[in-house]
Amino acid sequence: MPRRFRWTVPYLFLVPGGLWLLAFFVVPMVVMASVSLQQGSLAQGYAMTFNFGIYAETIARWSSQFLRSIEYAVIVTVLTVLIGYPMAYTIAFRGGRAKNILLLLVILPFFTSFIIRTLSWKLLLADNGIVLGTLKEWGLLDSGFRLIATPIAVISGLTYNFLPFMVLPLYVALEKVDPRLIEAANDLYASRVQGFLRVTLPLSLPGLFAGSLLTFIPAVGDFVNAQILGSPDTTMIGNVIERLFLSNNDYPQAAALGFILMAAILAMVLVYARLIGSDKLTTG
Amino acid sequence: MAEVDVRLDRVTKRFHDVVAVDDLSLDVRRGEFFSLLGPSGCGKTTTLRMIGGFEEATSGKIFLAGTDVTGLPPYRRNVNTVFQNYALFPHLSVYENVAFGLRRRRVASGEIRHQVGSMLELVELPGYEARRPSQLSGGQQQRVALARALINHPQVLLLDEPLGALDLKLRKQMQIELKRIQTEVGITFIYVTHDQEEAMTMSDRIAVMRGGHIEQLGAPEELYERPGTAFVAGFLGVSNLLDGDVAEVDGDYSSVRLTGGTLLRAPRPAVNGARRVQVGVRPEKLRVVPISDGSAAGSGDLNTIEGTILDASYIGVSTQYLVETRDGQRLTVYSQNLETSGAGEALADGQQVRLTWKPQHTFVIGQTDDPTAQGALNA
């Protein structure tokens, strides 16, 4: 290539990825945006009517599923932090030679399909399955007690499925924390708890942030767990979108819901980023 | 006798089956600049970490200003540490790094502002409060680490090879700086280093460590002029060691007969009863004279040994000779170029010479069969 065109090389490297995103992200987004503003039916065809009213209509109609999705996703994110942080901390600081084996165990579930794993949770939590059945047999639980088809089942499934997405970024962040910094904090009169709060925790915030996004965003839009482990009372927004698209063929409403969900996630992530990135968390 | 700030009483530290520090006892006086000097793996850092509370002694006791602190965690000890590679908090500003210890002790914020200000002045970094450690040079980070520790007015300041990551010029400058600050604040410093020159420049006293115990403890001049073991003689500077037997003790001096037959005189207190000994002399104490000069063989009170120049290298301020004696022992000589005006006037290879030195510059150490000590001499 002639020398004077050298500057184009980095841009050329971006072309394959750019084309991919254009074809499978930008184009579908534009199509969906357009679909959401059209009216009609599958049989008679759709026509563009710039029907912005559909957004207000959709929010009003599905608000309870929306709020439930956000509530579940928040609970799931908090649970994965509570379970995942001690795991990541232990692997990073106390893992020793077992570090790689422990990390392998964390990602081992990915070797099986997401659906299969969720279905096996259905078996685990079944009314007379291996857990509840045994406990009931021992008389520890009332025979009418059930977990399946309850919010607990859906949240447990979601927490289980997204836990590795919290553990791995947290591990990466904690692994980078120099143990001598904790010694330095102890040397400067910080107890073990204070040392954790003032040094380890702030330095692991990037991992906490990344893990929260990787857990929260897919959890809000998930429909598999609610479908397999839940009941009509635990329907999440993902289930609604899926049903509108695939069963009701109500494309405009489904598309509008998709955009509202995206906007809501974006807004919540921005607020979260401001909160976690603010100086209050890192100094003083 | 000055008050004792740090006392180690028969302290041992074992890591599994490795003994890092072996039954070590030590007193560090108040206000002194004390160095632990030794090669890597000698136990100096482990000793420092036990004083700081980062390692627990397997046995023995550690006292700080007379109080037993053996079982206390680091945050309950009135000592602070300047870590190797500084260990500054990357997420905090220079101000918050320096204020860290005061904040943990709930000092009022007005007081913190005042103290951080004057501390940054002491280490010559005023105006750097808002910077992050990553925005500072190595030397500046070093100063922040020092300020962060000193602001707490510890009983003792521990420094773990703090200048190791700096380049030679900056290191020399920081040595002077450290000594100035120590004099100014009057706090006891315990300084770990493997650099003998660094230890000699700054320290009031040095403990030379080897294999988990103290080989010799004393002022820099004492260690240099009268090393007690071959290891110390070799670790602090260059020394010439010759094997011999104590022939006779007469008044303040004793005579040692070298294996080649030459009789040398050495100050008597240096020979502590041993018969098989090594006689040592530092290269700069030797005078080299060509034998053809015709000066009398046993010129007066001086120790004399004859040999051949194997190698002469002119290095500006001095000329360095390697001389082999008749019985095959080799000595290094540093000869100041006081008279010469060029390399041509230096003595040439193969020339027969006589080496002379004053008996009081001779030191005698008990013969050791330890091969590692010999190895250290050649290093």
Side-chain angles (χ1 to χ4, degrees):
Chain A
M1 186 185 291
R3 180 167 286 272
R4 65 203 170 93
F5 290 122
R6 284 278 164 79
W7 62 271
T8 59
V9 170
Y11 298 98
L12 284 176
F13 284 171
L14 290 175
V15 167
L19 285 177
W20 183 273
L21 281 177
L22 187 71
F24 296 103
F25 182 69
V26 179
V27 172
M29 290 283 278
V30 172
V31 171
M32 281 298 113
S34 149
V35 164
S36 74
L37 300 174
Q38 296 177 10
Q39 278 176 308
S41 71
L42 195 60
Q44 288 139 17
Y46 291 95
M48 172 59 81
T49 56
F50 295 101
N51 176 25
F52 286 101
I54 194 171
Y55 280 89
E57 217 175 281
T58 307
I59 291 176
R61 189 158 160 210
W62 303 108
S63 61
S64 69
Q65 284 84 350
F66 246 116
L67 291 176
R68 183 183 297 134
S69 297
I70 291 167
E71 180 194 326
Y72 284 7
V74 168
I75 294 174
V76 166
T77 308
V78 170
L79 284 176
T80 52
V81 172
L82 292 180
I83 300 168
Y85 203 106
M87 272 172 79
Y89 186 93
T90 309
I91 299 173
F93 289 114
R94 305 264 186 273
R97 264 177 292 175
K99 222 176 228 183
N100 288 333
I101 293 170
L102 292 171
L103 283 176
L104 181 70
L105 288 178
V106 170
I107 58 164
L108 201 59
F110 290 132
F111 286 80
T112 324
S113 132
F114 180 61
I115 306 286
I116 305 267
R117 280 182 281 133
T118 311
L119 281 170
S120 53
W121 268 78
K122 187 177 180 134
L123 293 177
L124 275 176
L125 300 180
D127 289 343
N128 290 306
I130 186 158
V131 182
L132 296 192
T134 314
L135 291 175
K136 284 172 184 174
E137 212 166 284
W138 293 346
L140 294 173
L141 280 178
D142 189 77
S143 64
F145 182 86
R146 60 185 324 212
L147 281 175
I148 206 76
T150 64
I152 295 178
V154 178
I155 289 169
S156 307
L158 285 167
T159 305
Y160 161 76
N161 277 311
F162 293 114
L163 187 61
F165 295 101
M166 180 60 82
V167 174
L168 293 178
L170 273 176
Y171 167 78
V172 170
L174 286 167
E175 230 274 316
K176 281 194 289 187
V177 175
D178 186 347
R180 280 177 304 190
L181 293 178
I182 301 163
E183 282 190 352
N186 293 152
D187 185 62
L188 296 163
Y189 312 105
S191 64
R192 294 181 74 88
V193 174
Q194 281 178 321
F196 173 78
L197 292 177
R198 297 290 172 190
V199 177
T200 315
L201 184 61
L203 289 175
S204 68
L205 282 184
L208 190 69
F209 183 68
S212 302
L213 295 194
L214 290 177
T215 305
F216 180 80
I217 295 172
V220 172
D222 183 80
F223 62 93
V224 174
N225 285 277
Q227 188 157 311
I228 296 177
L229 303 171
S231 72
D233 291 337
T234 64
T235 303
M236 294 174 70
I237 201 66
N239 302 94
V240 175
I241 296 176
E242 189 226 2
R243 199 165 65 227
L244 288 175
F245 257 116
L246 301 181
S247 311
N248 300 12
N249 298 328
D250 189 345
Y251 297 151
Q253 206 175 163
L257 261 183
F259 274 104
I260 294 166
L261 181 62
M262 206 166 75
I265 289 173
L266 216 57
M268 286 184 286
V269 166
L270 285 177
V271 170
Y272 186 59
R274 277 297 284 276
L275 204 73
I276 212 162
S278 85
D279 274 3
K280 279 218 174 66
L281 271 170
T282 56
T283 55
Chain B
M1 201 69 190
E3 279 176 275
V4 173
D5 245 354
V6 178
R7 167 166 291 164
L8 300 190
D9 184 19
R10 307 200 59 184
V11 170
T12 296
K13 176 67 187 179
R14 263 185 222 103
F15 294 105
H16 305 290
D17 43 358
V18 180
V19 181
V21 174
D22 187 11
D23 196 22
L24 184 135
S25 295
L26 175 68
D27 281 355
V28 179
R29 297 169 197 151
R30 180 155 301 169
E32 120 178 287
F33 198 122
F34 189 93
S35 288
L36 295 168
L37 173 67
S40 63
C42 71
K44 58 190 191 297
T45 295
T46 307
T47 305
L48 193 81
R49 288 175 58 82
M50 284 193 289
I51 300 171
F54 305 112
E55 303 285 354
E56 214 174 312
T58 311
S59 67
K61 286 202 177 306
I62 298 167
F63 297 89
L64 261 182
T67 315
D68 184 355
V69 298
T70 314
L72 291 185
Y75 50 88
R76 297 254 167 76
R77 297 185 185 201
N78 196 15
V79 296
N80 290 109
T81 308
V82 176
F83 291 86
Q84 205 172 4
N85 302 100
Y86 328 128
L88 296 177
F89 303 123
H91 58 300
L92 300 180
S93 63
V94 166
Y95 183 92
E96 286 302 331
N97 263 282
V98 177
F100 195 92
L102 297 182
R103 286 209 192 282
R104 300 290 81 72
R105 292 193 296 176
R106 309 199 178 286
V107 174
S109 64
E111 179 60 23
I112 290 179
R113 201 171 314 122
H114 172 74
Q115 286 200 33
V116 171
S118 56
M119 198 41 77
L120 287 178
E121 232 152 75
L122 179 75
V123 299
E124 290 171 349
L125 279 179
Y128 283 77
E129 286 85 349
R131 304 266 189 111
R132 292 284 166 123
S134 58
Q135 296 170 300
L136 302 178
S137 70
Q140 290 168 334
Q141 292 186 29
Q142 171 58 58
R143 287 157 194 266
V144 175
L146 192 62
R148 183 179 72 171
L150 278 176
I151 198 169
N152 305 294
H153 301 289
Q155 185 83 30
V156 180
L157 185 74
L158 308 175
L159 303 102
D160 184 9
E161 308 229 14
L163 308 183
L166 304 180
D167 62 57
L168 185 66
K169 201 172 155 216
L170 200 52
R171 201 153 69 214
K172 298 267 181 215
Q173 193 186 324
M174 281 304 292
Q175 286 171 10
I176 298 166
E177 192 84 334
L178 269 177
K179 186 69 190 166
R180 169 186 71 83
I181 289 170
Q182 197 255 344
T183 316
E184 213 165 311
V185 296
I187 290 173
T188 311
F189 278 33
I190 302 184
Y191 192 96
V192 159
T193 182
H194 63 266
D195 182 332
Q196 49 101 6
E197 202 183 315
E198 195 167 287
M200 302 247 273
T201 310
M202 294 186 285
S203 315
D204 297 316
R205 288 194 305 155
I206 301 172
V208 180
M209 287 187 68
R210 174 173 171 234
H213 66 268
I214 293 176
E215 191 87 357
Q216 190 176 357
L217 194 157
E221 313 80 58
E222 197 181 325
L223 295 181
Y224 185 79
E225 302 290 345
R226 284 181 299 284
T229 69
F231 176 79
V232 174
F235 200 76
L236 284 106
V238 177
S239 63
N240 299 303
L241 291 181
L242 307 164
D243 295 335
D245 290 295
V246 177
E248 105 185 76
V249 179
D250 120 58
D252 287 342
Y253 286 88
S254 55
S255 303
V256 176
R257 186 170 298 282
L258 300 186
T259 29
T262 315
L263 204 60
L264 297 178
R265 276 153 43 83
R268 194 168 83 94
V271 186
N272 30 15
R275 272 199 65 78
R276 295 278 303 153
V277 292
Q278 285 183 302
V279 180
V281 60
R282 296 288 183 184
E284 73 280 7
K285 303 289 202 296
L286 294 168
R287 277 185 55 82
V288 53
V289 205
I291 282 184
S292 54
D293 269 16
S295 55
S299 60
D301 297 333
L302 296 177
N303 280 332
T304 304
I305 208 164
E306 290 180 355
T308 315
I309 293 183
L310 286 185
D311 181 56
S313 23
Y314 176 74
I315 43 175
V317 55
S318 64
T319 303
Q320 186 175 332
Y321 297 103
L322 187 63
V323 176
E324 188 171 62
T325 63
R326 295 219 176 95
D327 56 317
Q329 307 214 55
R330 288 177 181 192
L331 290 93
T332 304
V333 183
Y334 296 155
S335 175
Q336 286 277 314
N337 291 331
L338 294 173
E339 315 291 341
T340 53
S341 56
E345 291 177 44
L347 298 164
D349 293 3
Q351 195 155 356
Q352 297 290 312
V353 290
R354 180 177 298 133
L355 303 176
T356 58
W357 71 94
K358 291 179 181 162
Q360 62 262 39
H361 289 149
T362 314
F363 54 86
V364 180
I365 54 193
Q367 180 71 277
T368 170
D369 300 324
D370 191 341
T372 57
Q374 297 293 333
L377 294 177
N378 301 329

